[in-house]
Amino acid sequence: MYIPKNMEIKSKSDIHAFIEQFSFGIVVSDDLTATHLPFLLKKDEGEYGTLYGHFASANSHYKTLSDQAALIIFNGPHAYISPTWYATAPAVPTWNYSAVHAYGVLTLTSDDETLSIINDTVTKYEPNLHNDTTTLSDEFKSKLLKGIVGFKVELSKLEGKHKLGQHRKVEDQQGVYHALNQSSRPDDQALASYMQQLTLGIGE
């Protein structure tokens, strides 16, 4: 990924936080096959952390990826940026976004490990579901194992990028933030909220 120095997410903890917030990623193999999946991050497993997930067993992509290098792409909010939002002119249209690329070798997990992945996924997104044995019983989860293939990726490299206009003047950042925040488009509002979270482009 092309990352100018002033757009690099340098901190491993910041990249980990990004992955945890925007955990639906794309895993890509050397043959350029890609699968969209939710991921779980174990930050303390390995030097850069370890990602866990599962394929549908009908998806043959896992056979290509088993014990092979993989790239996992995570995307944050993104939106078109109009040059009319800047206080400074002339300017050109652009697209602002944040992204993380994570690299490592993918290995398949045992049934017990895959069941743990299912349980950890439920814990992250809907912990109360563990108490709903009618919807998700232990017997039903065991049956699910026949239809999925679990995996993990011990990460060997992380890259992160914020292209959010932080290199521009404060008044330009404020113009972008306010235009996005006042937009009726969900993508625009999501990007404004993320800029606010990072304290980028915030004006009173």
Side-chain angles (χ1 to χ4, degrees), residues 3 17 39 42 57-58 62 70-71 78 86 90 94 98 123 146 152 184 190 193 199:
I3 310 176
F39 288 85
K42 302 290 186 180
S57 58
Y62 77 86
L71 162 65
H78 56 89
Y86 297 138
T94 191
S98 291
T123 298
K146 299 177 182 178
K152 66 179 181 179
S184 61
S193 178
T199 66

Side-chain angles (χ1 to χ4, degrees), residues 3 17 121 129 131 152:
I3 310 176
T121 301
L129 194 56
N131 302 321
K152 66 179 181 179

